[in-house]
Amino acid sequence: MIELDGVAKTFDGNILALQDVSFSVATGSICALLGHNGAGKTTTINILSTLMRPSYGKAIVAGFDVVKEAAQVRESIAMTGQHAALDWQLTGRENLVMFSRLHGMRRKDARARADALIEQFDMADAADRRVDTYSGGMRRRIDIAAALVVSPKVLFLDEPTTGLDPRSRRAVWDLVSGLAAQGVTVLLTTQYLEEADILSDSIVVIDHGRVIATGTADSLKSRMGFSYCTVSPTNPADLPKILAVVADLQDAQLDEEANTVSVLAPNGVSTLSEVFRRVDQLDVELADISLRRPSLDEVFLHLTDGATT
């Protein structure tokens, strides 16, 4: 449904924002585009949504060339940016009717489409309130609904949950998963690695305008080739003592929120045994000590650190 082949983008003739970007997204799947700020994520979305022309290369969306067949691409896609594109003085329902009318629907059809989206997105309780009274999560839901007044084949979401609380973020995740289940192809950019891990069928990591890794979350984790040893004490007050005895081991980190100390375990069970030996000498009670695969956050940091050194 989405295919990029050697796409590059330069600004002012010499600022290279994208370099030889190539990847594809299967129909009805969710692809997460990951990268630091300025990596090229939004530029990629802008090219695919015809807001920007590539300097080189070819991009196909829903079977249409984004340059030669831009009008057909626009008829096949929907997009939400980082900020909700709504009229805050109107109600949620009025916004949906307005967007439907802008798409050329008759008034009766626009109202019917608004009603259907309100039911689909479970927004009946808030539909007739002004948008400026909405929570951040509700604004994002109505913004995504507005993008779907005409059912698209492809939906672009540029950091759809930025600034949302965990509950609202998960509500948006449920919406996005539901859309993919209906056959909509979703390409989303995000800086929340947990979001990509939970939602995506595939992941593209971009750094300094180049694709540096592609695959599923599991395949990227497996590609790391090493594990982490994680120690969780029964008493969180023991965390500093545990960190102190493993501080000389590779990548020792304390996570107070997760109540863990973790170290890189390049030697697997041997590293686990060494950590256990050291911690055992402290005479602290442990809730858990184990080997685990790297998280997607750790994979991302490893890949991007390696790409910039």
Side-chain angles (χ1 to χ4, degrees):
M1 186 59 68
I2 300 173
E3 186 170 359
L4 296 90
D5 183 12
V7 170
K9 180 62 181 179
T10 59
F11 294 101
D12 299 327
N14 57 6
I15 300 174
L16 196 57
L18 295 179
Q19 308 176 54
D20 193 26
V21 171
S22 300
F23 65 88
S24 60
V25 182
T27 301
S29 67
I30 302 173
C31 176
L33 186 60
L34 306 183
H36 293 297
N37 286 336
K41 305 187 301 296
T42 298
T43 300
T44 302
I45 293 287
N46 286 342
I47 287 173
L48 290 172
S49 59
T50 75
L51 294 175
M52 188 180 291
R53 281 176 167 249
S55 301
Y56 308 99
K58 187 174 185 179
I60 303 294
V61 176
F64 302 108
D65 187 288
V66 299
V67 175
K68 298 177 182 177
E69 300 166 300
Q72 291 94 322
V73 171
R74 294 185 192 115
E75 291 176 355
S76 305
I77 67 173
M79 178 179 177
T80 67
Q82 296 179 22
H83 305 286
L86 302 169
D87 187 326
W88 287 23
Q89 301 304 309
L90 300 180
T91 67
R93 188 186 306 275
E94 289 168 341
N95 268 281
L96 293 177
V97 170
M98 177 184 69
F99 277 96
S100 298
R101 294 282 285 157
L102 289 172
H103 276 278
M105 291 186 190
R106 295 180 177 178
R107 185 173 285 105
K108 181 179 179 181
D109 293 335
R111 289 173 178 167
R113 182 57 178 158
D115 290 343
L117 288 167
I118 288 166
E119 180 179 356
Q120 178 183 350
F121 282 61
D122 192 23
M123 297 183 297
D125 291 343
D128 295 308
R129 292 184 2 232
R130 289 192 349 179
V131 170
D132 61 3
T133 69
Y134 284 6
S135 66
M138 184 58 71
R139 288 174 189 164
R140 179 52 70 187
R141 288 166 71 184
I142 201 77
D143 189 45
I144 294 175
L148 300 173
V149 293
V150 176
S151 299
K153 294 180 179 179
V154 179
L155 175 62
F156 298 113
L157 298 175
D158 194 4
E159 301 191 14
T161 61
T162 297
L164 298 187
D165 62 80
R167 185 184 298 275
S168 297
R169 188 175 299 138
R170 288 191 175 274
V172 172
W173 294 351
D174 290 342
L175 290 176
V176 174
S177 296
L179 292 171
Q182 297 170 30
V184 178
T185 302
V186 179
L187 178 62
L188 68 91
T189 72
T190 181
Q191 294 189 48
Y192 296 113
L193 281 298
E194 181 190 12
E195 183 165 278
D197 204 351
I198 291 174
L199 278 181
S200 66
D201 299 297
S202 62
I203 292 172
V204 176
V205 183
I206 188 168
D207 193 65
H208 288 75
R210 289 183 178 274
V211 172
I212 59 172
T214 61
T216 64
D218 284 343
S219 70
L220 291 177
K221 292 173 185 177
S222 299
R223 193 182 305 178
M224 294 282 284
F226 54 76
S227 302
Y228 279 82
C229 175
T230 300
V231 183
S232 299
T234 301
N235 184 355
D238 291 327
L239 284 170
K241 291 190 290 186
I242 295 173
L243 179 63
V245 298
V246 300
D248 62 314
L249 298 179
Q250 190 173 351
D251 199 22
Q253 297 179 12
L254 184 153
D255 186 337
E256 292 185 352
E257 184 177 348
N259 188 40
T260 62
V261 171
S262 63
V263 299
L264 193 65
N267 299 316
V269 174
S270 296
T271 303
L272 175 65
S273 298
E274 174 62 17
V275 171
F276 182 81
R277 183 187 66 79
R278 296 186 185 195
V279 174
D280 188 50
Q281 295 176 357
L282 295 175
D283 193 28
V284 300
E285 184 177 350
L286 298 183
D288 185 55
I289 181 169
S290 62
L291 286 175
R292 62 167 177 81
R293 291 197 306 168
S295 67
L296 194 58
D297 295 67
E298 290 159 341
V299 171
F300 176 75
L301 290 172
H302 177 78
L303 289 169
T304 53
D305 285 350
T308 57
T309 57

